């Protein structure tokens, strides 16, 4: 539509620039803080412009961490976070795609029951069943292990529904043709269904990687051994100590490092991210 | 090369509703049989039962004398061409052609030979390394056929393979399928709802309605001697005119004709009623012109007769005013006697 | 429920395919949830030796507990605050981006990344900005004569957590609003323009009503988010304080169960939260069904 309203156009950009600035400002401040030394925070107001200590701060956090806060070096926590996010994302995708396959391409007794059991997990977020879930994991001896960090979070109704929805859009004839061509159920899954699901898997992976990375409450519960700390929960420990000892520069360096991987994933894979986000809500 | 025998084949989807109500059919080696009928008549279900994609409720399916009613589709040595082609979208044309052979453990050299041969027959050689989405509808159709050909199966099953094509391409592909089948001499079952496609392709037609076979015969037999009222109205375009005997009784010369017992409906093809007096014996009807539809070299003439509309196919464009009273002539041989209650012809013994 | 026209005939394979998902669901979802329901009817003696079945006592006690009622009230304020602030800002930004052609994509990229920030990290970022001794915001407010201190002032604390939680949710709302705006038929807007409606009138009379399915959907999602996904934000900023001013229901379950070790009460709270999620999920899915019928 041809519409020429210069004032409105300028206003549009002004609103957006202000919006972007407000959204980015806390991160800007955190970045600035991570480039100074601890003295910069003794004078009252936190600095607004970059300082010269960026490399020192990041190097210290990555290699040795802040021992007074009881958190391990950031590199270890980054590795733990990566393991957790990858295991959760891959695990959720794997078990969801085969569940959806069973539900769509087979008919068997208790199919509906299975569907509802998966559905019900939507209504039971970990936050509302903290105590008993913790107890189960403790009884199974899974505290302080990667298994304990990831397996209880791997069941996924949303991913299962997404794949189910997608499988239902695949023409019936494709499976029929494959059967006439001599493909059994596993072969059909591997040769036809899996390659066709590529984009959906990738989109889902972006969303689930972030889901796994930002987990906080669960690692907080199941890890007491600092070797298994994830970066997100480690930061809380650092921040809590910063109130007493003002190592804001170091805390904010860790904050920046914690944000970087998932933010990069979103920015680099924006198309897949938006697709994954919008489609999992269908 | 194979024969196919269907014996008392039935299909029900739970409950008592039968989609296929006991079909018997023998297909000779190399024959092309077309199953034709309106949607929901059971023709596709029947084909899919032969393919092994639908379970058989009761009855037998014999391919080369072996009962395969419980066998997996892959064990039946058949190949199928689907309406929407069902090409694997992520594989190249070559991948699509090879997939079934690979699954059967065909040696590499043999796969290459067959793919090359099929590509030559169907002229899809230059497209072998493309993906299906890069092909036109007609090309996809060829690839779907190619996928069937490379298998060198006992039988081809076609499930409305041309309905997704536009009219012009459909005629062209129809001719190609016919030539191909003649050349390969592979026993084929072909499902369509298009009676013209059925007539032009078939060695023999199987006309189905409501889960039952109405008539089996060559296209000429079915057209010239429809066994039932349903076949009479389904095959032929425009459809056969069906006139109650009491209306016909007003026609000059009709009462003198010997009618088989129980006849209460007379059917007449649109091209066997004429408006010019023919040579030889004929009966004469009087009707009013309702509408003249010119369609090129001939015209469809709608004539009202005692509250009924008859459709005639007349040559050229006769100069007739709407509402004019005209005479219609028909030879006695053009009349097909039917009984309304049984729906069958009255001049032939009931089918076994 | 829908399946394919033809299915594979295998009898055992589907169970094997479902097994991993179902085993995890039973062990880590259904069993704990059942345990929560069971212990919400029980009282455990202080040494954990004996449990007594006490019917609804844990529940009645909760409804008579000022601390719980306060948490419910605070949760409501928090949820409404987050929903309104985050949706309002997102809608404004989405409308602006929708007006632009090419530069819209750049702005989108600059607005979506907070989705990837962990709630607790988001909390710490804003906590730093609002830090009473070194934060920039208290410094500026001081110039206006307001002494900000969320460690003491409950309202300050509530505003802080609302802002932090809204910030993180802006990306999500923004993306759905943009998608919703793009699905409004251009022809309708053009027809309204030819009828002489200006840009603002067009928005309120044509676009906003057509956006209502998206708005309603986001409303539910945001309430859900504020209630259940903000544990990290609360824990990273105020820890529920001061004096319970930001103690949401989810935070209280954690605090009572893990820090206070009151299993019965914590379980009863869990069960009540489950009921809330169930209601929200049902409402959301009813809406999805309706959307399909459009």
């Amino acid at each position: 539509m041809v519409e020429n309203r210069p004032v409105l156009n300028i206003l549009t950009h002004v609103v957006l620039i202000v919006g972007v600035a407000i959204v980015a400002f806390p991160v800007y401040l955190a970045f600035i803080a991570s480039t100074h030394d601890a003295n910069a925070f003794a004078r009252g107001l936190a600095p607004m412009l970059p300082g010269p200590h960026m490399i020192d701060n990041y190097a210290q956090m990555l290699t040795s961490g802040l021992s007074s806060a009881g958190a391990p070096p950031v590199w270890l926590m980054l590795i733990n976070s990566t393991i957790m996010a990858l295991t959760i994302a891959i695990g959720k995708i794997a078990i969801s795609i085969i569940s959806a396959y069973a539900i769509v391409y087979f008919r068997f007794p208790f199919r509906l029951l299975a569907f509802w059991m998966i559905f019900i997990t939507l209504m039971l977020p970990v936050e509302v069943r903290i105590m008993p879930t913790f107890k189960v994991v403790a009884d199974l001896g899974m505290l302080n292990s990667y298994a304990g960090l990831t397996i209880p979070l791997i069941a996924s109704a949303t991913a299962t529904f997404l794949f189910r929805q997608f499988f239902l859009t695949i023409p019936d004839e494709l499976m029929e043709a494959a059967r006439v061509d001599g493909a059994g159920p596993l072969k059909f899954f591997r040769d036809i269904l899996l390659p066709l699901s590529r984009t959906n898997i990738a989109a889902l992976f972006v969303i689930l990687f972030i889901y796994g990375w930002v987990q906080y409450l669960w690692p907080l519960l199941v890890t007491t051994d600092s070797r298994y700390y994830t970066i997100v929960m480690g930061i809380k420990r650092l921040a809590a100590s910063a109130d007493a000892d003002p190592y804001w520069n170091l805390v904010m360096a860790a904050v920046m490092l914690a944000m970087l991987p998932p933010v990069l994933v979103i920015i680099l894979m924006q198309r897949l991210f938006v697709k994954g986000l919008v489609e999992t809500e269908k | 090369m194979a024969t196919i025998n269907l014996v008392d084949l039935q299909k029900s989807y739970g409950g008592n509703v039968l989609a296929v109500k006991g079909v018997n059919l023998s297909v000779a080696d190399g024959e092309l049989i077309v199953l034709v009928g309106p949607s929901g008549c059971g023709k596709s279900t029947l084909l899919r039962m032969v393919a092994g994609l639908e379970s058989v409720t009761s009855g037998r399916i014999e391919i080369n004398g072996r009962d395969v009613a419980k066998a997996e589709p892959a064990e039946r040595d058949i190949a199928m061409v689907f309406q929407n082609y069902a090409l694997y979208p992520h594989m190249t044309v070559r991948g699509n052609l090879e997939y079934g052979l690979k699954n059967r453990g065909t040696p590499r050299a043999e796969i290459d030979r067959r793919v090359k041969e099929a590509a030559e027959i169907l002229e899809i050689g230059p497209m072998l390394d493309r993906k299906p989405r890069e092909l036109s509808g007609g090309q996809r159709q060829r690839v779907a056929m190619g996928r069937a050909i490379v298998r060198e199966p006992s039988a081809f099953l076609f499930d409305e393979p041309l309905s997704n094509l536009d009219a012009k391409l459909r005629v062209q592909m129809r001719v190609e399928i016919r030539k191909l089948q003649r050349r390969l001499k592979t026993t084929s079952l072909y499902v369509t709802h298009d009676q013209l496609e059925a007539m032009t392709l078939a060695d023999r037609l199987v006309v189905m309605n409501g889960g039952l076979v109405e008539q089996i015969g060559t296209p000429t037999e079915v057209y010239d001697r429809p066994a039932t009222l349903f076949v009479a109205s389904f095959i032929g375009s425009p459809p056969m005119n069906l006139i109650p005997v009491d209306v016909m009784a007003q026609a000059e010369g009709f009462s003198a004709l010997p009618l088989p017992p129980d006849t209460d409906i007379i059917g007449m093809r649109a091209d066997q009623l004429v408006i010019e007096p023919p040579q030889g014996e004929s009966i004469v009807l009087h009707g009013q012109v309702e509408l003249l539809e010119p369609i090129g070299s001939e015209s469809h003439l709608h004539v009202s007769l005692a509250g009924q509309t008859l459709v005639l196919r007349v040559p050229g464009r006769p100069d007739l005013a709407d509402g004019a009273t005209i005479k219609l002539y028909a030879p006695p041989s053009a009349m097909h006697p039917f009984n309304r209650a049984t729906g069958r012809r009255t001049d032939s013994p009931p089918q076994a | 429920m829908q399946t394919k026209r033809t299915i594979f005939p295998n009898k055992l394979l589907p169970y094997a395919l479902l097994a991993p998902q179902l085993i995890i669901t039973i062990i880590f979802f259904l069993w704990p949830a059942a345990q929560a329901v069971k212990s919400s009817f029980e009282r455990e003696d202080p040494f954990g030796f004996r449990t007594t079945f006490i019917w609804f006592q844990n529940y009645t006690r909760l409804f008579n507990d000022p601390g719980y009622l306060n948490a419910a009230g605070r949760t409501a304020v928090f949820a409404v605050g987050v929903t309104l602030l985050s949706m309002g800002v997102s809608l404004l930004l989405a409308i602006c981006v929708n007006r632009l052609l090419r530069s819209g994509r750049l702005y989108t990229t600059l607005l979506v990344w907070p989705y990837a920030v962990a709630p607790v990290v988001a909390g710490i970022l804003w906590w730093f900005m609002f830090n009473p001794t070194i934060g920039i915001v208290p410094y500026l407010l001081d110039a206006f004569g307001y002494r900000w201190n969320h460690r003491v002032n409950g309202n300050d604390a509530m505003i802080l957590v609302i802002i932090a939680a809204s910030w993180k949710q802006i990306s999500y709302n923004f993306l759905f609003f943009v998608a919703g705006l793009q699905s409004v038929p251009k022809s309708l807007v053009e027809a309204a323009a030819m009828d002489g409606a200006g840009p603002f009138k067009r928005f309120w009379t044509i676009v906003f009503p057509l956006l209502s399915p998206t708005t309603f959907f986001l409303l539910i999602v945001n309430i859900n988010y504020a209630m259940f996904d903000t544990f990290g934000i609360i824990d990273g900023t105020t820890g529920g304080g001061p004096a319970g001013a930001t103690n949401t229901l989810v935070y209280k379950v954690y605090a009572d169960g893990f820090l206070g070790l009151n299993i019965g009460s914590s379980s009863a709270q869990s069960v009540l939260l489950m009921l809330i999620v169930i209601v929200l999920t049902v409402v959301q899915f009813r809406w999805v069904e309706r959307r399909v019928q459009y």
Side-chain angles (χ1 to χ4, degrees):
Chain A
M1 195 164 62
V2 179
E3 191 168 46
N4 202 2
R5 294 175 192 261
V7 178
L8 209 56
N9 291 343
I10 291 169
L11 190 66
T12 303
H13 284 282
V14 169
V15 168
L16 282 171
I17 289 166
V18 170
V20 168
I22 291 177
V23 165
F25 192 58
V27 177
Y28 172 77
L29 280 187
F31 172 71
I32 295 301
S34 74
T35 60
H36 288 266
D37 61 7
N39 295 330
F41 304 93
R43 274 169 250 141
L45 183 61
M48 291 291 128
L49 294 169
H53 296 280
M54 174 173 169
I55 295 181
D56 306 344
N57 292 336
Y58 284 82
Q60 187 193 334
M61 284 319 281
L62 276 172
T63 54
S64 54
L66 195 59
S67 50
S68 64
V74 167
W75 71 263
L76 178 66
M77 297 196 286
L78 282 175
I79 287 178
N80 286 339
S81 281
T82 310
I83 292 174
M84 183 175 177
L86 282 179
T87 312
I88 289 180
I90 295 169
K92 270 181 185 270
I93 288 171
I95 71 171
S96 298
I97 198 168
I98 59 177
S99 318
Y101 181 51
I103 286 175
V104 173
Y105 281 94
F106 296 85
R107 244 170 264 155
F108 50 93
F110 305 116
R111 196 169 66 99
L112 211 59
L113 177 71
F115 181 81
W116 281 106
M117 276 170 64
I118 296 169
F119 183 82
I120 228 167
T121 60
L122 273 185
M123 308 190 186
L124 299 170
V126 69
E127 285 79 4
V128 309
R129 51 183 170 81
I130 302 174
M131 286 298 299
T133 315
F134 172 78
K135 194 163 178 307
V136 168
V137 173
D139 290 347
L140 291 173
M142 290 164 73
L143 296 181
N144 288 317
S145 70
Y146 290 121
L149 272 176
T150 53
I151 293 175
L153 300 182
I154 274 178
S156 176
T158 25
T160 309
F161 292 166
L162 176 77
F163 283 122
R164 171 177 173 265
Q165 214 59 38
F166 172 65
F167 291 164
L168 288 174
T169 65
I170 293 180
D172 293 6
E173 285 83 356
L174 224 47
M175 179 263 212
E176 295 172 359
R179 279 185 80 182
V180 173
D181 269 345
L186 295 178
K187 211 168 208 170
F188 170 70
F189 181 75
R190 194 194 60 200
D191 292 347
I192 315 284
L193 221 45
L194 215 49
L196 289 179
S197 308
R198 261 184 326 214
T199 333
N200 282 290
I201 290 175
L204 210 50
F205 180 83
V206 173
I207 298 291
L208 295 177
F209 180 84
I210 290 163
Y211 167 87
W213 187 276
V214 304
Q215 284 302 313
Y216 172 63
L217 176 57
W218 188 245
L220 191 65
L221 297 183
V222 299
T223 60
T224 48
D225 182 341
S226 64
R227 277 178 304 164
Y228 292 100
Y229 282 6
T230 65
I231 182 77
V232 168
M233 65 168 292
I235 277 181
K236 174 62 190 6
R237 287 191 174 258
L238 294 174
S241 75
D243 232 11
D245 311 314
Y247 290 116
W248 286 105
N249 50 333
L250 299 177
V251 173
M252 288 306 160
V255 161
M256 294 307 292
L257 290 169
M259 283 192 295
L260 203 58
V263 167
L264 274 185
V265 165
I266 280 204
I267 291 177
L268 296 180
M269 303 190 209
Q270 194 179 329
R271 275 237 325 275
L272 283 174
F273 162 66
V274 173
K275 178 181 160 68
L277 194 66
V278 174
E279 299 209 341
T280 44
E281 292 296 351
K282 270 186 190 159
Chain B
M1 303 301 103
T3 58
I4 301 175
N5 258 315
L6 309 184
V7 185
D8 279 329
L9 207 53
Q10 291 200 343
K11 174 71 187 178
S12 74
Y13 293 101
N16 304 321
V17 188
L18 288 176
V20 175
K21 303 175 180 168
V23 167
N24 291 287
L25 175 67
S26 299
V27 186
D29 184 22
E31 200 175 18
L32 196 165
I33 294 278
V34 175
L35 302 169
V36 65
S39 60
C41 72
K43 58 188 189 300
S44 275
T45 309
L46 190 65
L47 187 80
R48 294 166 51 78
M49 282 160 86
V50 176
L53 298 172
E54 297 275 358
S55 64
V56 171
T57 305
S58 69
R60 290 204 307 279
I61 299 170
E62 295 169 1
I63 298 181
N64 275 337
R66 181 172 69 104
D67 186 4
V68 295
K70 292 211 164 53
E72 272 286 292
E75 299 160 9
R76 298 186 181 199
D77 197 19
I78 42 106
M80 187 151 171
V81 179
F82 294 88
Q83 176 174 353
N84 62 6
Y85 322 127
L87 300 178
Y88 310 122
H90 57 296
M91 298 184 190
T92 59
V93 168
R94 187 190 301 278
N96 269 279
L97 298 184
E98 287 177 350
Y99 188 63
L101 297 175
K102 278 190 190 159
N103 285 341
R104 286 178 166 71
T106 314
R108 188 72 244 178
E110 176 69 3
I111 293 180
D112 289 340
R113 182 189 68 76
R114 292 200 200 175
V115 169
K116 189 158 168 281
E117 194 179 288
E120 267 165 31
I121 295 174
L122 294 163
E123 298 165 12
I124 51 174
M127 293 156 219
L128 280 178
D129 293 316
R130 288 195 216 159
K131 293 273 176 73
R133 66 169 171 277
E134 301 166 86
L135 305 180
S136 71
Q139 290 169 334
R140 286 179 206 185
Q141 182 60 61
R142 282 161 196 267
V143 176
M145 307 241 304
R147 192 166 62 178
I149 292 174
V150 293
R151 291 265 320 281
E152 298 181 1
S154 295
F156 290 141
L157 307 178
F158 296 89
D159 190 4
E160 310 225 12
L162 304 181
S163 2
N164 279 13
L165 299 175
D166 63 43
K168 197 173 149 202
L169 205 52
R170 201 179 310 162
V171 174
Q172 190 188 328
M173 287 305 292
R174 192 171 78 202
V175 175
E176 284 194 28
I177 289 182
R178 187 69 188 129
K179 281 192 201 151
L180 189 69
Q181 201 270 340
R182 287 271 152 80
R183 172 167 167 190
L184 299 172
K185 298 192 179 60
T186 307
T187 312
S188 302
L189 277 179
Y190 187 111
V191 162
T192 179
H193 63 270
D194 179 342
Q195 54 102 11
L196 186 64
E197 201 173 297
M199 296 282 287
T200 50
L201 273 175
D203 288 325
R204 279 191 301 153
L205 278 177
V206 176
V207 186
M208 291 188 66
N209 184 34
L212 284 170
V213 171
E214 294 270 336
Q215 187 172 8
I216 301 177
T218 64
T220 330
E221 280 166 10
V222 172
Y223 186 83
D224 289 348
R225 273 185 75 81
T228 66
L229 278 172
F230 174 80
V231 177
S233 58
F234 190 77
I235 300 288
S237 173
M240 184 180 271
N241 297 298
L242 298 170
I243 311 160
V245 165
D246 47 338
V247 174
M248 285 300 290
Q250 299 160 14
E252 294 166 31
F254 184 78
S255 52
L257 294 175
L259 280 184
D262 300 327
T263 302
D264 49 14
I265 292 202
I266 298 294
M268 280 181 290
R269 291 274 174 215
D271 53 353
Q272 288 180 321
L273 272 168
V274 292
I275 51 175
E276 303 293 336
Q279 293 178 337
E281 189 189 356
S282 62
I283 60 153
V284 185
L285 290 153
H286 299 267
Q288 271 87 41
V289 174
E290 263 184 358
L291 177 70
L292 186 73
E293 294 177 311
I295 51 164
S297 65
E298 57 182 32
S299 303
H300 289 175
L301 178 63
H302 297 244
V303 178
S304 135
L305 181 78
Q308 246 199 309
T309 301
L310 309 186
V311 182
L312 280 68
R313 202 154 74 195
V314 294
R317 282 158 227 171
D319 182 22
L320 293 169
D322 286 0
T325 302
I326 56 166
K327 286 184 177 176
L328 311 174
Y329 305 88
S333 64
M335 281 180 273
H336 303 264
F338 291 100
N339 178 270
R340 188 192 297 277
T342 64
R344 301 203 153 269
R345 281 187 92 88
T346 50
D347 62 347
S348 58
Q351 281 185 332
Chain C
M1 196 180 48
Q2 220 176 336
T3 40
K4 292 293 176 181
R5 183 170 61 185
T6 8
I7 41 126
F8 286 109
N10 310 51
K11 295 274 176 279
L12 291 177
L13 185 62
Y15 296 105
L17 292 170
L18 277 165
Q21 176 101 290
L22 290 184
I23 289 170
I24 291 175
T25 303
I26 290 169
I27 296 180
F28 298 108
F29 285 75
L30 300 181
W31 172 255
Q35 287 300 305
V37 173
K38 178 170 167 280
S39 42
S40 76
F41 292 108
E42 292 173 346
R43 178 172 45 215
E44 206 170 85
D45 71 35
F47 305 103
F49 292 136
R50 246 175 30 158
T51 48
T52 340
F53 187 78
I54 54 165
W55 286 106
F56 289 95
Q57 269 189 42
N58 285 321
Y59 294 92
T60 48
R61 200 168 300 158
L62 273 184
F63 288 120
N64 291 316
D65 171 12
Y68 189 74
L69 297 179
N70 171 62
R74 296 274 101 190
T75 308
V77 171
F78 177 66
V80 171
V82 170
T83 305
L84 288 183
L85 180 61
S86 180
M87 284 178 67
V89 172
S90 308
L91 180 57
L92 180 66
L93 295 172
I95 293 166
C96 290
V97 161
N98 197 44
R99 278 181 55 83
L100 303 174
L101 298 173
R102 227 166 296 128
S103 54
R105 208 169 301 156
L106 175 68
Y107 285 119
T108 303
T109 308
L110 292 173
L111 287 170
V112 295
W113 56 268
Y115 179 86
V117 177
V120 65
V121 173
I124 289 170
L125 287 174
W126 286 92
W127 183 55
F128 181 59
M129 273 180 75
F130 279 83
N131 186 297
T133 36
I134 58 164
I136 172 86
V137 181
Y139 178 82
L140 293 176
L141 287 175
D142 203 36
F144 293 98
Y146 186 84
R147 293 207 61 83
W148 173 276
N149 194 341
H150 58 255
R151 287 176 193 155
V152 181
N153 185 326
N155 287 334
D156 287 0
M158 178 56 84
I159 292 171
L160 170 59
V161 290
I162 288 178
I163 290 178
S166 304
W167 176 79
K168 201 186 131 35
Q169 189 66 358
I170 281 179
S171 326
Y172 187 96
N173 294 337
F174 169 78
L175 285 172
F176 274 85
F177 272 133
V178 168
L181 286 169
Q182 279 167 355
S183 67
V184 171
K186 277 224 163 48
S187 56
L188 282 179
V189 179
E190 286 166 351
M194 274 184 262
D195 283 340
F200 292 99
K201 185 151 197 194
R202 282 205 302 266
F203 178 77
W204 287 114
T205 54
I206 311 286
V207 179
F208 192 69
L210 287 173
L211 209 56
S212 62
T214 307
T215 312
F216 180 67
F217 164 76
L218 286 177
L219 199 67
I220 304 291
V221 169
N222 278 272
I223 293 173
N224 216 329
Y225 160 79
M227 291 192 70
F228 299 102
D229 292 340
T230 50
F231 175 86
I233 289 176
I234 308 271
D235 201 41
T237 50
T238 62
T246 54
N247 201 6
T248 61
L249 292 171
V250 164
Y251 199 79
K252 193 166 157 48
V253 173
Y254 165 77
D256 288 2
F258 271 90
L259 311 178
L261 295 174
N262 186 344
I263 312 282
S265 171
S266 172
S267 301
Q269 293 181 39
S270 287
V271 172
L272 292 175
L273 284 175
M274 281 180 217
L275 292 178
I276 296 173
V277 191
I278 289 170
V279 170
L280 287 174
T281 314
V282 168
V283 170
Q284 182 177 334
F285 272 76
R286 290 300 289 272
W287 172 81
V288 170
E289 267 168 43
R290 264 194 300 148
R291 182 173 64 164
V292 169
Q293 285 165 7
Y294 270 92

